[in-house]
C-alpha cells in the first residue's frame, strides 16, 4: 500500500509542476529606466540594475478554474479570432499584453525630459510607490 500512495503523491507533484509552466516567455525591452525598484527585485541579477536598455523577462500563465486539465478545446479554435487575447497562439497573447504594458508606461511622464518615468505600466509604478511608502513607515 505504501508504494501506491507514494506514486499518487508523485503524480500530484508532477501535475503541480506542469501547471506552473508558462505558456509563453518574452522580454520587455525598453530604453526607459525601470525606476526605483525594491532591493529584492534585483537580487538575482544586481549587475542589471540601472542598465539601459532594460530587459524584463515576462511569462504568460493561465490560471482558470473553469478549464479542465485534459481539455484542449479552448486552445484549438478554428474560428477566426477577433481579438488578440482570443488567439490560439500564446505568443500573440503575450505580445498583446506587453504592447499594452508599453502603452501604459507612457501615462507617467517626466515633465522635464518628456520621456517616461519608467518602462513599467502606470499601475505597476503605483504599486512600487506604495511598496516604498509602506517600507518607509515600518
Amino acid at each position: 500500500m505504501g508504494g501506491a500512495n507514494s506514486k499518487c503523491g508523485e503524480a500530484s507533484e508532477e501535475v503541480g509542476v506542469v501547471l506552473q509552466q508558462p505558456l509563453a516567455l518574452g522580454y520587455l525591452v525598453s530604453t526607459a529606466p525601470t525606476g526605483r525598484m525594491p532591493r529584492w527585485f534585483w537580487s538575482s541579477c544586481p549587475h542589471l540594475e540601472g542598465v539601459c536598455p532594460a530587459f524584463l523577462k515576462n511569462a504568460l500563465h493561465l490560471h482558470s478554474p473553469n478549464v479542465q486539465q485534459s481539455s484542449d478545446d479552448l486552445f484549438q479554435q478554428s474560428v477566426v479570432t477577433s481579438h488578440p487575447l482570443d488567439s490560439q497562439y500564446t505568443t500573440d497573447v503575450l505580445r498583446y499584453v506587453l504592447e499594452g504594458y508599453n502603452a501604459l508606461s507612457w501615462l507617467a511622464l517626466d515633465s522635464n525630459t518628456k520621456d517616461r518615468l519608467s518602462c513599467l505600466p502606470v499601475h505597476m509604478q503605483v504599486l512600487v510607490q506604495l511598496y516604498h511608502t509602506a517600507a518607509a513607515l515600518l
Side-chain angles (χ1 to χ4, degrees):
M1 279 204 297
N5 287 340
S6 66
K7 285 186 179 183
C8 180
E10 289 175 12
S12 65
E13 279 186 34
E14 289 176 13
V15 169
V17 171
V18 170
L19 291 177
Q20 295 172 8
Q21 296 298 316
L23 297 174
L25 290 172
Y27 285 90
L28 176 67
V29 181
S30 178
T31 56
T34 57
R36 189 170 152 239
M37 299 298 287
R39 276 258 182 249
W40 53 262
F41 185 83
W42 299 108
S43 64
S44 65
C45 50
H47 60 283
L48 294 178
E49 185 175 4
V51 173
C52 188
F55 290 87
L56 301 176
K57 187 175 183 179
N58 292 269
L60 177 69
H61 293 269
L62 178 65
H63 296 284
S64 176
N66 300 330
V67 177
Q68 297 294 328
Q69 186 177 3
S70 61
S71 173
D72 291 333
D73 298 338
L74 295 174
F75 301 113
Q76 297 175 353
Q77 300 173 359
S78 60
V79 180
V80 177
T81 59
S82 60
H83 194 278
L85 291 178
D86 295 328
S87 174
Q88 65 182 353
Y89 300 107
T90 55
T91 53
D92 291 343
V93 175
L94 183 60
R95 181 183 306 117
Y96 178 78
V97 170
L98 293 180
E99 287 172 354
Y101 281 5
N102 181 53
L104 289 170
S105 72
W106 284 96
L107 293 177
L109 297 177
D110 183 353
S111 58
N112 294 329
T113 63
K114 308 292 189 240
D115 196 11
R116 296 172 287 173
L117 291 172
S118 173
C119 62
L120 300 175
V122 69
H123 63 281
M124 290 185 184
Q125 292 179 39
V126 170
L127 288 174
V128 170
Q129 289 174 349
L130 286 171
Y131 172 85
H132 288 302
T133 302
L137 293 174
L138 296 177

